[in-house]
Structure formats: C-alpha cells, structure tokens
Amino acid sequence: MSRDWPAVDEIIRTVEEFLGAIANQLDGRDRYDALCARYLLNVARRELSEGAEIDERELNMLEAFLEESGSLKELQGKLGQSIRAGTYDEKWQQVFDLVMTHVTNNVMVSRPDKLESEHRGDSMPTKEVR
Amino acid sequence: MEGDPDLNLAETQRNRRLLDAVRRRFGERASIDNLDSAMLGGSNRTILFDLCGQDGSARRLVLRQETYELPQSPFLAPNQQFRLLELVHHIGIPVPKPVFELDDADGLGRGYVVECVYGETLPKRLMNDLEFSSARSRFATECGEILARLHAIDPTGASFLVNVPDSKDPVAAQTARYDSYSEAYPAIELGLRWLHIHRPQPRKNHLLHGDFRNGNLIVDRRGIRAVLDWECAHLGDPMEDIGWLCTRSWRFGNPERPVGGIGTKGEFAAAYHSNGGAQIDWEAVHWWEVFGLVRWAILNVMQAHGHISGQRRDIPFAACGRNICVIEYDLMMTLSGDYD
C-alpha cells in the first residue's frame, strides 16, 4: 500500500473524469465505449470502498439462512440450487427477502440511483409476496 | 483504433472480400464505397456500405455478420434469419429488404446483406426528440398493427423454427442457457422458480419475432419504418411478444408508458384487435413480462460471460455484467407487486 498521492480512489475518479470529458468529444461507438468505461470505473470505485463490508454481511446472512458455512460464491450456488429444487416454496417470503437484500446490495454498488428510496438505506422490504 | 495494425489488416481484408462478394453477384464492374460500422450488436456485426453500379447509381446496403458462435447461443443461424426475412418481407411486414446471403466462397463467415432503412433506433431519442413527436403518438398503435399481422402468418411457413429450443419450452431454453454459464444468481433462480410455479395455460403456436421492442425498430418522423433483429424468432404464444414489448427494461425510465416507454397498453390492444389479433390475456402478458426480465438478465450474463471468457471481449459486454443486478432489482420489484 503506497502513501503517495493520489490515493486509489482519487486515481479512479481522475480517470472517470477524463473519460467523461473525452466522451463529449466523441460520437457513435467510441462515445458509447467511453461512457461504458467510465461506468465500470464508477462501479470499481464504489466496490473498493464498500465491497468487502457488503460481502462479509452477505456471508453471515447466508450462513445463518442455510445453516452451513462456505465461501460466498459456494453459498450463493447452494441457495440457487435449493430455490430451483423448490425447497423454499413454503418459505417464499423469507427467501425473497434474503435475495432482495443481495440484489439491493449489488445495485448499491452498480447503480445506486436505480434503487427506490426504501432500499437506499439498510431497511429491507417487508411486503408480503407470493 | 487507427493505430492497431492487426485491426486495420483485418478490416482491409474484410472490405476486399466484401467487394469480391458483391462482384460475384452484381458483376465485375460493381464497387463498394462509404463503408461504416454500426455498434456491435448482441449477435451480429453490422457494416453499412454503398453498392455502386457502373452507371453511377448507389444503393445503401447493410452486411450483418454473425459474431456469436458459441454453444447454447440464443440466436438463430443467419441462414434461418435470412429465410425469415424473405418470408415476412413477402407478406408485407416492414423489414429491411433481403438482398443476398453470404456463402463459403465469400470468406466472410455467416451472414447476409439487406437494404438499408433510414431512421432512428436509439430509444432515448425516440422518446424525447421533438422530431419524433408525431411518430410517438402512433408508436403503440403501429406496434399493435405489426404484431397482429405477424401473429396472423401461417406458422407452417416457418416450420424450420420448430426445433428452436424457445419454440419447445421457453423457460427450459432460458434455464439451459443460464446453466451453461455456470454462475450463481439467486434472483434469476427465484424468477425461474416463480415462472415455473405460475406458468399460464399453453396456447396455439404462432410465429413470434422474439425481440420486438423499442431499440429494434427503425423509426422516422412518420412512424415505424422497419422491424430489425429477427435472430430470436421462434414459435410460441403471441402474449410472449406483447409481454417482451412491455417489459420494464424497454420502458427506458418511463415506466408509466408500458409500450416501449412511449405508448399505452390500451392503444396497443385497440390496434392489435382491430388488425385481427386475438384477445389479449393481460395476466399471461404479465407472466411474460416477468419472463422478459429473467430472459434479459440471462442475456446480460451471456454478454458478460463472453467478455470474461475472452471469446467476445468488449467494454459494453463487461458493463452488461454489472447491469444484471439492475434487471434483477426490476424483477424482484415486479414479483413483489411494487412495479407493474
């Protein structure tokens, strides 16, 4: 870890600004690529800042729900297999809330502007669904 | 990309082969000019060019080259797309007129050439630009007219679509594609499970476009000029095309206008019925809208997979990977009833 400036967050922000500025001078495919590249850096900056904490929270949540341990990817795979097998058909609301938490966490990193106000904090939906 | 010698060489070689392909069909004195490439599509590379005759005439054409050739491809082979274009063009559905199909001697891979249709496809421009205000007022009506005419076509004319996985079982087809990427997306699983549990009664098969939506329609100030992108065509329930057209992702931030972010379901239904379309089962359409969100999420998994695997590296495809959760969010909100 270097102490030199700019810090990694600032480096990413600087390149994002550059891509945003250059996109305005481009058109067609080049402009679209530049905007996509800026978007990806935007995601990377948020993930560097919040990703580890989100992953840890999700791992704890999944371990509690599935009552087993493993890596985040393994447990997400097991959750998916169980949903497909119908294991949670009678616990639809619980599994729905769990998956909604996972999805809103990802959207918080990728496109927080797309979240409805009730999902921009820590609160999770409680509406009954079936 | 001017500085990349490999790309320049490939482009020069492709242009030379395209010229040869044109001369094999239109004579040795034919030439090509004004080549331009459109954005990389989901399954095709699109090259626009002028076919110039010796009398000085020029005809703007479009080469569509297949770029997605992996197993579990959700797209029809180009020769099937070409046959379909010939069929629907003959019947009078507005499509780019098919010109010729590539063959092995062309050395350009699989693809075909159609006539260029001028107009706009970018949804945000269609939704907001003043010049399309008149076209917007007729958009949902024209969608209803076109889909009613398409769904009225005798599907035996497109019997080569019978073996397309989506013609047999659309949910199973999506599941198989999703499984082929070996990635875990619990929200997609939840969507697939919901679709499985709430599946509507099967209906008689009709010819479906399979990707009829804002973004795949060429529009000018008068209205819809052409329906593009027939690579997802198959046989199935007409409600599927209607559900896909109304899927939230194609409303582009204008959710209160379900028909492509521009028109209403009432406008669409009136035109669909008055042009011979069957009674619309809105409950089934809702199921197909959920299906549409699941399908669109899986298509984004496919694009991200193509980028990560190195088979189709592309910045927008990388961005697709981070768009999946946004579609999943729409899916979850739709399942909960918070979104219509």
Side-chain angles (χ1 to χ4, degrees):
Chain A
M1 181 72 73
S2 169
R3 292 186 178 188
D4 291 342
W5 284 1
V8 66
D9 176 77
E10 190 56 43
I11 290 171
I12 293 175
R13 195 184 295 272
T14 303
V15 182
E16 270 180 68
E17 287 168 358
F18 167 73
L19 289 169
I22 205 168
N24 290 329
Q25 299 165 33
L26 301 171
D27 54 25
R29 177 64 203 250
D30 289 337
R31 174 180 160 79
Y32 187 58
D33 281 356
L35 291 173
C36 286
R38 183 182 66 168
Y39 163 68
L40 286 168
L41 283 179
N42 198 255
V43 173
R45 183 163 51 80
R46 274 194 296 273
E47 185 152 317
L48 281 171
S49 158
E50 301 162 31
E53 191 186 321
I54 289 174
D55 282 357
E56 191 181 342
R57 249 187 359 241
E58 282 210 26
L59 183 62
N60 292 337
M61 198 172 64
L62 272 171
E63 284 180 338
F65 186 84
L66 297 169
E67 296 179 333
E68 61 180 297
S69 55
S71 72
L72 189 55
K73 191 164 180 160
E74 284 167 351
L75 295 183
Q76 283 171 346
K78 286 186 178 176
L79 177 64
Q81 287 165 11
S82 300
I83 291 170
R84 188 179 299 195
T87 307
Y88 301 116
D89 285 357
E90 301 308 316
K91 293 168 69 180
W92 187 266
Q93 186 66 48
Q94 290 97 312
V95 78
F96 182 92
D97 287 348
L98 182 81
V99 174
M100 186 59 141
T101 304
H102 163 70
V103 169
T104 51
N105 282 340
N106 284 351
V107 180
M108 192 70 82
V109 171
S110 285
R111 285 293 303 270
D113 58 303
K114 292 284 186 184
L115 290 172
E116 299 293 340
S117 56
E118 70 262 33
H119 296 141
R120 289 190 191 133
D122 288 334
S123 62
M124 283 299 109
T126 53
K127 185 171 176 175
E128 184 71 23
V129 290
R130 187 69 174 97
Chain B
M1 293 292 185
E2 284 174 12
D4 189 328
D6 289 342
L7 275 178
N8 286 344
L9 183 64
E11 202 171 295
T12 303
Q13 188 180 55
R14 184 201 62 209
N15 295 349
R16 178 71 223 179
R17 289 177 179 176
L18 179 57
L19 175 62
D20 290 343
V22 162
R23 286 184 170 163
R24 284 179 55 223
R25 292 165 176 90
F26 297 97
E28 281 304 309
R29 298 203 170 185
S31 62
I32 58 173
D33 199 6
N34 293 325
L35 278 86
D36 193 13
S37 58
M39 285 186 194
L40 186 65
S43 64
N44 291 278
R45 181 182 295 108
T46 303
I47 311 290
L48 295 92
F49 64 98
D50 287 342
L51 166 62
C52 306
Q54 61 185 102
D55 59 352
S57 63
R59 185 181 173 198
R60 194 72 169 154
L61 300 180
V62 180
L63 165 67
R64 303 255 298 175
Q65 280 180 297
E66 184 180 49
T67 58
Y68 195 95
E69 298 166 337
L70 303 176
Q72 294 292 349
S73 168
F75 306 121
L76 288 179
N79 66 317
Q80 292 178 317
Q81 293 177 44
F82 193 78
R83 282 174 69 185
L84 200 57
L85 279 173
E86 288 181 317
L87 172 73
V88 297
H89 179 262
H90 179 70
I91 282 165
I93 303 288
V95 292
K97 185 179 179 185
V99 179
F100 68 87
E101 201 181 335
L102 298 179
D103 59 31
D104 291 345
D106 295 320
L108 286 163
R110 305 203 301 177
Y112 53 86
V113 171
V114 294
E115 279 191 352
C116 180
V117 176
Y118 293 94
E120 183 59 78
T121 58
L122 289 176
K124 286 288 184 186
R125 288 194 189 152
L126 297 178
M127 291 164 68
N128 301 313
D129 284 7
L130 195 59
E131 79 168 286
F132 299 113
S133 56
S134 173
R136 276 195 293 276
S137 69
R138 286 193 36 78
F139 183 80
T141 298
E142 289 187 317
C143 287
E145 290 167 1
I146 294 168
L147 279 186
R149 285 162 59 202
L150 175 68
H151 295 160
I153 293 174
D154 180 358
T156 57
S159 57
F160 57 95
L161 297 177
V162 165
N163 290 323
V164 173
D166 304 74
S167 298
K168 296 175 181 169
D169 183 339
V171 177
Q174 299 306 323
T175 306
R177 285 172 198 135
Y178 167 67
D179 285 346
S180 74
Y181 309 125
S182 302
E183 289 291 327
Y185 289 89
I188 291 177
E189 292 285 2
L190 207 64
L192 287 168
R193 187 69 193 158
W194 186 92
L195 291 170
H196 177 72
I197 293 169
H198 297 89
R199 199 186 280 251
Q201 288 295 314
R203 242 174 273 263
K204 191 179 156 207
N205 272 354
H206 293 251
L207 174 59
L208 307 185
H209 178 277
D211 199 6
F212 189 94
R213 62 172 176 86
N214 190 359
N216 285 338
L217 302 169
I218 296 182
V219 179
D220 70 10
R221 57 184 66 210
R222 292 169 296 166
I224 297 172
R225 311 319 304 168
V227 182
L228 304 177
D229 294 342
W230 291 77
E231 60 265 27
C232 296
H234 58 279
L235 305 178
D237 181 348
M239 300 306 119
E240 179 180 347
D241 266 344
I242 300 171
W244 182 248
L245 171 66
C246 297
T247 292
R248 194 177 180 88
S249 303
W250 314 130
R251 303 180 193 180
F252 297 99
N254 204 5
E256 68 278 10
R257 292 267 163 182
V259 182
I262 294 175
T264 67
K265 287 181 174 175
E267 292 165 335
F268 174 89
Y272 189 75
H273 293 145
S274 64
N275 284 274
Q279 188 65 36
I280 297 175
D281 176 348
W282 290 111
E283 200 173 322
V285 170
H286 175 73
W287 187 90
W288 285 109
E289 287 181 36
V290 172
F291 174 88
L293 290 165
V294 172
R295 176 186 169 202
W296 181 225
I298 293 171
L299 282 166
N300 275 257
V301 175
M302 176 194 82
Q303 302 295 37
H305 178 264
H307 177 79
I308 300 296
S309 67
Q311 287 155 323
R312 303 172 82 221
R313 284 191 76 77
D314 194 49
I315 290 175
F317 291 165
C320 284
R322 292 304 186 125
N323 189 46
I324 297 163
C325 62
V326 178
I327 307 163
E328 289 177 319
Y329 184 71
D330 283 349
L331 169 66
M332 298 295 286
M333 293 295 276
T334 303
L335 290 179
S336 70
D338 288 292
Y339 289 167
D340 69 3

